[in-house]
Amino acid sequence: MLTVAIVALVKVIVVLVIFLLMIAYLTWWERKLLAHFQVRLGPMRVGPHGLLQPLADGLKLLFKEDITPAGSNRIIFTLAPIITFVPTFMVLAVIPFGKSITLFGKSIDLIISDFNMGILYIFAVVSLGVYGIVLAGWSSNNKYSLLGGLRSSAQMISYEVSLGLSVIGILMLSGSLSLVNIVNQQDSILNWYIFRQPLAFVIFLICALAEINRIPFDLPEADNELVAGYYTEYSSMKFAMFFLGEYGSMINASAIATTLFFGGWQGPWLPPVVWFLIKIGAFLSFFIWLRATLPRFRYDQLMRFGWGILLPLALLNIFITAIIMVW
Amino acid sequence: MLNYINSLLAIPRGLLVTFKHLFKPAVTLRYPEVKEKLPERYRGLHYLARDENGDEKCVCCGLCALACPSGCIYMEPGENQRGERYARVYEINELRCIFCGYCEEACPVGAIFLGKEYEFSNDKREKFIYTKEELLVPLPGEKKV
Amino acid sequence: MEFLIFFIAAIILVFASVLVVVQRNPVHSALFLIAALCAQAILYLLLNATFLAVIQIIVYAGAIMVLFLFVIMLLNLKKDEFGPERRKAQSFFGILFAVLLLMELGLVVKIGLSKLTPADASLSFDFGGVQLVGKSLFTDYLFPFELTSVLLLVAMVGAIVLAKKKL
Amino acid sequence: MVPLSYYLFLSGLIFTIGVLGFLVRRNLLVMFMCIELMLNGVNLFLVSLARKFGSMDGQIFVFLIMTVAAAEAAVGLAIIIAFFRNKKSANVDDLNLMKW
């Protein structure tokens, strides 16, 4: 009992630390890569090639003045960043990041909790993340924030439907809701679900982009129309929490996409954990690449695209999968 | 239908364009360490020239002040020991100056020039009124004011 | 351990439910309702209803309550628009009735429990899991299940008709 | 192992709180939330009995109640919006057109 608890605790701590480090260096990587896409250099001053930039940013944010606007709802205003930030951590609990290893004569699974309904759990936790944004928008007592919050909640609810439906094809093929089983089924590259569910992958990717508010779906925080959307009024550590939450959910989206479609930690030669990190990194770079390329959607286009194109496509995907399975 | 396919293909096309840009060398200049090569006719901070004897060329005729569209040049004439007219006071307000170079063109004796110096920022407004001592080219062996 | 979790979840559930009723600001009420729903999901987990616990969070906390919050923000009620709240007589009778109801429920549960003969049934391995829920949903309860789809369709049409200004 | 009676009393308590709120509050939205509370009390009751008898029927019922709650929320909130649009209020006391 005690050893189980200790092992679990160690796993949680290690995963959290690595996750936070990844978030920190994701901001650096994004700035750097984006700069090179735009034929610039990006951060160069703090440390060699700006490697200590995340540290400097963090310190700067920590020492900024923490402002709570007058007329805002103080409790909810403080609560909102926490609500956006915590679910991103909770998603990590069910993502397998490696084959089980043997340590001190004990076999340890490289997953925090092998919950047999991993995918449903992820959806449950992710759906709670909307509240942070909505409440932040509402409690700031600011028109831009409220508009940003409303927009984002509408966007997230709309795209969550297609996101859920796009995964159902995989669930039908795998016959399991456990992410561990899904990864184990993709043992060779031909068994990766991207090849068996290409349409689902495209829908999943688009919906995931919309869920994590990345360009081209960054309407909630559209800088040039809404100042900064729902976090216009936020400063200092609270702003940092939104920032962490956003980049954390970006990593989560990559991790889930990797697990579902790209065989998770499966791969030859290299250790499984390394493969997992490489695949996540590729996804993150792809997101940044998209940011460097695509313009933002208009709001009505966004809604029409979500309900009019993605949802029918997702349903069609389920339909085709069912037909092929029964055949 | 063809329209749709075309607009869908626009996304990978755009991605390709940005991808090509990824490998271009950055145009950024790392400023304080590396400085931009200024063009030949760059107009920066003024300086007052001296003749071959090391005397000031300026005869305080006032043509530069007349030509100046922003009226930033102020001068008071004086007479030196040899009885020649010279500028006792010569001030240029660099905050008002628009660096048009008309003073340089107006000068009949070739005394005022616009140099290549552009790093003369300061946090006090008074420091931008450059006096004659600051504008004159230092004599060899003399330290610049 | 199980007792501890039960009591924590139960206390959160009861307090949050009371606060839903007591809070003057509807947004606060909605937030406490979300907290209550999450606490109840924990109770479901204790009762081996894993699938229901997850569905509770996805459907209730993730969809229905977001809709509530959305509407509250859309209406954006000012303080004075809440109207006169809690009339004295009404509160008195309301509380009286609630206490009577609670006593009655308690009595019913007590009497009912004494007549309940079977001991705890042994549970199958994945009781409350997706497979068992799915199996009974698509065999024994197929007709109600299909009816819910009709119900949802009707609700959707109804909501659109009601919310639209002009048809 | 928590005794069944605890769960049943708890669900009764939640149901009662829902009823109380429904009777006492005058804000339509909060009344609606109290209905959700009542439904949840019943759900807890059903799930705990399902556990006791080791049969899935109770859980299936909860599942069905949840779909009903979702449908109810959609229609009910639409009604509230329509009401608010006409009366600029969310108070049940203003909902008196068919009173006489």
Side-chain angles (χ1 to χ4, degrees):
Chain A
M1 183 67 199
L2 194 68
T3 48
V4 171
I6 289 171
V7 167
L9 197 68
V10 168
K11 276 195 280 194
V12 168
I13 290 170
V14 168
V15 168
L16 276 189
V17 167
I18 291 176
F19 187 62
L20 282 173
L21 266 178
M22 275 176 78
I23 291 176
Y25 276 92
L26 180 58
T27 62
W28 174 81
W29 180 238
E30 168 151 41
R31 290 172 69 173
K32 205 75 188 166
L33 203 59
L34 206 56
H36 280 284
F37 272 124
Q38 295 164 356
V39 205
R40 294 184 288 121
L41 281 174
M44 287 296 271
R45 296 280 167 199
V46 194
H49 286 264
L51 269 173
L52 296 176
Q53 188 71 42
L55 214 70
D57 286 344
L59 277 177
K60 188 200 79 175
L61 277 172
L62 214 64
F63 289 117
K64 287 265 174 181
E65 189 189 357
D66 197 356
I67 299 167
T68 311
S72 69
N73 194 318
R74 192 169 286 269
I75 301 165
I76 296 179
F77 189 76
T78 321
L79 204 65
I82 301 172
I83 296 178
T84 27
F85 171 65
V86 170
T88 56
F89 283 165
M90 287 167 70
V91 169
L92 292 175
V94 292
I95 293 174
F97 47 88
K99 212 189 256 178
S100 52
I101 52 167
T102 314
L103 218 64
F104 306 119
K106 270 178 68 84
S107 146
I108 295 169
D109 294 329
L110 287 187
I111 177 171
I112 292 174
S113 159
D114 184 6
F115 187 38
N116 61 1
M117 281 190 275
I119 293 180
L120 281 180
Y121 170 82
I122 287 175
F123 279 118
V125 171
V126 166
S127 67
L128 289 181
V130 187
Y131 286 113
I133 293 170
V134 178
L135 291 176
W138 179 77
S139 65
S140 297
N141 194 26
N142 175 327
K143 288 187 186 79
Y144 295 121
S145 301
L146 186 66
L147 276 176
L150 284 178
R151 268 188 185 190
S152 104
S153 52
Q155 173 181 330
M156 285 178 121
I157 294 171
S158 315
Y159 279 78
E160 217 168 62
V161 180
S162 312
L163 186 74
L165 288 177
S166 71
V167 175
I168 285 181
I170 291 183
L171 302 187
M172 287 160 77
L173 286 178
S174 70
S176 166
L177 287 170
S178 157
L179 289 171
V180 177
N181 284 352
I182 290 176
V183 171
N184 283 335
Q185 282 166 0
Q186 309 177 58
D187 46 2
S188 81
I189 197 159
L190 288 175
N191 284 341
W192 285 8
Y193 279 113
I194 170 100
F195 299 117
R196 292 200 263 170
Q197 293 274 322
L199 184 58
F201 174 66
V202 174
I203 298 167
F204 180 88
L205 199 66
I206 294 172
C207 292
L209 277 173
E211 283 290 303
I212 58 179
N213 299 333
R214 288 288 299 181
I215 289 166
F217 299 100
D218 64 334
L219 284 124
E221 57 206 69
D223 337 40
N224 34 18
E225 8 180 333
L226 292 176
V227 190
Y230 54 87
Y231 55 67
T232 305
E233 296 288 352
Y234 280 88
S235 55
S236 184
M237 219 36 225
K238 289 182 197 142
F239 174 77
M241 276 191 191
F242 273 120
F243 212 67
L244 284 180
E246 194 156 306
Y247 280 81
S249 52
M250 205 167 140
I251 293 175
N252 283 338
S254 322
I256 297 165
T258 307
T259 315
L260 289 179
F261 293 95
F262 280 83
W265 42 262
Q266 306 265 16
W269 310 305
L270 294 171
V273 180
V274 176
W275 266 115
F276 189 64
L277 290 178
I278 287 175
K279 286 171 184 173
I280 287 184
F283 261 107
L284 292 173
S285 308
F286 180 67
F287 288 160
I288 297 167
W289 185 12
L290 279 180
R291 176 173 174 184
T293 309
L294 297 178
R296 186 181 302 127
F297 269 94
R298 216 171 53 210
Y299 191 63
D300 59 321
Q301 288 172 335
L302 174 96
M303 281 297 158
R304 184 164 309 141
F305 185 62
W307 289 107
I309 297 179
L310 284 183
L311 189 65
L313 272 183
L315 289 172
L316 184 75
N317 181 54
I318 295 173
F319 190 65
I320 294 170
T321 314
I323 287 177
I324 293 174
M325 277 179 75
V326 173
W327 207 269
Chain B
M1 191 63 199
L2 210 67
N3 230 344
Y4 273 112
I5 293 171
N6 213 15
S7 50
L8 269 181
L9 279 180
I11 295 172
R13 234 181 279 139
L15 286 172
L16 199 68
V17 170
T18 39
F19 192 67
K20 277 180 194 154
H21 276 76
L22 186 56
F23 300 103
K24 285 188 181 166
V27 295
T28 315
L29 212 66
R30 309 203 53 209
Y31 166 62
E33 292 98 56
V34 186
K35 286 191 177 142
E36 198 173 2
K37 198 176 165 293
L38 294 174
E40 193 84 338
R41 295 169 61 181
Y42 185 84
R43 298 193 291 262
L45 189 65
H46 308 75
Y47 66 88
L48 292 172
R50 293 173 188 272
D51 61 12
E52 52 274 22
N53 301 328
D55 294 330
E56 301 158 20
K57 271 184 170 179
C58 179
V59 294
C60 199
C61 61
L63 282 177
C64 52
L66 208 64
C68 183
S70 56
C72 61
I73 302 177
Y74 172 75
M75 58 182 73
E76 277 174 23
E79 230 171 70
N80 65 5
Q81 302 94 311
R82 284 173 303 203
E84 287 163 346
R85 185 184 158 96
Y86 85 114
R88 193 162 51 80
V89 177
Y90 193 99
E91 285 177 359
I92 298 181
N93 186 342
E94 298 291 354
L95 283 178
R96 299 188 66 179
C97 178
I98 57 169
F99 299 95
C100 59
Y102 282 6
C103 47
E104 192 179 335
E105 279 177 33
C107 187
V109 293
I112 187 165
F113 292 100
L114 270 69
K116 292 229 158 75
E117 176 72 36
Y118 54 89
E119 290 169 314
F120 54 98
S121 58
N122 208 308
D123 52 3
K124 293 216 168 51
R125 298 184 72 87
E126 310 85 67
K127 292 271 169 70
F128 282 100
I129 299 172
Y130 277 67
T131 57
K132 194 176 78 175
E133 286 69 38
E134 286 167 305
L135 289 167
L136 265 175
V137 178
L139 285 167
E142 195 186 51
K143 254 186 83 184
K144 175 129 176 100
V145 192
Chain C
M1 191 66 182
E2 201 187 328
F3 264 97
L4 189 69
I5 296 174
F6 172 79
F7 278 115
I8 292 172
I11 286 168
I12 294 173
L13 179 55
V14 172
F15 267 88
S17 318
V18 170
L19 284 168
V20 169
V21 177
V22 173
Q23 287 289 330
R24 268 188 81 80
N25 192 335
V27 174
H28 290 181
S29 290
L31 285 183
F32 281 115
L33 186 51
I34 294 164
L37 294 172
C38 292
Q40 198 170 357
I42 295 171
L43 289 177
Y44 285 173
L45 282 180
L46 284 182
L47 288 165
N48 289 43
T50 29
F51 179 67
L52 279 183
V54 174
I55 289 296
Q56 166 102 356
I57 290 182
I58 294 181
V59 173
Y60 254 122
I64 296 180
M65 289 318 293
V66 173
L67 203 63
F68 263 98
L69 267 183
F70 211 83
V71 169
I72 294 172
M73 286 177 195
L74 219 61
L75 302 188
N76 201 11
L77 296 168
K78 303 283 174 319
K79 276 263 154 48
D80 48 311
E81 279 164 356
F82 291 163
E85 197 72 70
R86 280 176 235 160
R87 296 183 181 171
K88 275 247 168 72
Q90 198 172 13
S91 305
F92 175 71
F93 283 112
I95 292 169
L96 188 72
F97 180 69
V99 169
L100 285 176
L101 182 70
L102 187 62
M103 279 154 66
E104 188 188 341
L105 281 176
L107 214 63
V108 167
V109 167
K110 204 161 177 244
I111 294 168
L113 274 179
S114 64
K115 288 195 180 137
L116 207 63
T117 37
D120 287 332
S122 60
L123 302 179
S124 61
F125 168 64
D126 67 336
F127 178 76
V130 195
Q131 274 177 346
L132 271 181
V133 172
K135 202 169 268 173
S136 35
L137 210 53
F138 289 114
T139 53
D140 301 342
Y141 290 90
L142 183 62
F143 186 60
F145 180 70
E146 293 295 337
L147 274 186
T148 54
S149 66
V150 178
L151 174 75
L152 287 174
L153 181 68
V154 171
M156 198 162 75
V157 173
I160 292 170
V161 169
L162 279 169
K164 222 164 177 160
K165 266 185 192 134
K166 274 185 200 150
L167 278 177
Chain D
M1 186 65 215
V2 182
L4 177 69
S5 56
Y6 285 25
Y7 283 107
L8 297 187
F9 279 121
L10 183 63
S11 68
L13 190 59
I14 301 302
F15 186 83
T16 318
I17 293 170
V19 172
L20 176 67
F22 191 80
L23 291 175
V24 171
R25 293 299 298 261
R26 315 255 32 96
N27 186 325
L28 265 176
L29 283 161
V30 179
M31 286 171 76
F32 212 58
M33 284 183 224
C34 291
I35 295 178
E36 301 291 332
L37 263 186
M38 278 147 73
L39 285 176
N40 269 294
V42 175
N43 281 355
L44 188 56
F45 197 90
L46 287 171
V47 172
S48 47
L49 280 180
R51 164 70 202 266
K52 174 78 176 175
F53 290 111
S55 108
M56 291 302 292
D57 299 355
Q59 295 196 13
I60 300 295
F61 263 93
V62 173
F63 187 79
L64 296 180
I65 287 175
M66 279 185 195
T67 45
V68 173
E72 172 219 332
V75 177
L77 289 173
I79 290 174
I80 290 178
I81 288 181
F83 171 62
F84 186 81
R85 205 181 275 148
N86 287 329
K87 290 263 182 174
K88 292 278 165 281
S89 148
N91 194 319
V92 260
D93 292 336
D94 295 330
L95 199 60
N96 53 7
L97 249 162
M98 289 169 72
K99 206 169 183 178
W100 304 110

